[in-house]
Amino acid sequence: MAVGPMLGRMQSGRFKMVSTLLPWFEEFRLYHRRDGQVVKLRHDLMAATRYGVMMLREAQVDPAMFKAARRKAGQADPLGAFR
């Protein structure tokens, strides 16, 4: 049986989810399959997560835009306390 991209990332430790997203984890615990098919009951967050993981293959980073988005020297780092 082939493993999907989301399950593969979960099994290899490459899938990370913020621990404070309690609704996501509640839905994850309810997520299951019956006869090989996903039970489509309260699965909105799982479907959105799966869609996001599937779109990673389309993601592209333009190095020029990445450099332009960097902060200028001396500019405050709002996330600096969380790193």
Side-chain angles (χ1 to χ4, degrees):
M1 177 192 273
V3 174
M6 192 164 144
L7 180 58
R9 286 177 173 274
M10 287 179 174
Q11 290 175 339
S12 68
R14 294 180 297 139
F15 182 85
K16 307 287 185 199
M17 185 56 61
V18 179
S19 63
T20 56
L21 294 176
L22 299 179
W24 190 91
F25 283 100
E26 289 174 11
E27 192 170 300
F28 179 71
R29 284 190 286 273
L30 295 173
Y31 194 73
H32 66 284
R33 294 175 182 264
R34 183 173 296 139
D35 300 326
Q37 298 294 318
V38 172
V39 176
K40 297 192 179 211
L41 178 67
R42 293 186 291 183
H43 72 291
D44 298 333
L45 296 174
M46 292 296 104
T49 303
R50 186 176 64 251
Y51 186 78
V53 169
M54 294 297 292
M55 289 297 106
L56 285 174
R57 65 178 174 214
E58 302 293 329
Q60 296 179 358
V61 176
D62 181 4
M65 289 184 70
F66 181 72
K67 276 189 170 183
R70 287 189 163 168
R71 288 185 313 281
K72 295 176 181 149
Q75 189 176 11
D77 182 2
L79 299 177
F82 301 108
R83 289 185 183 172

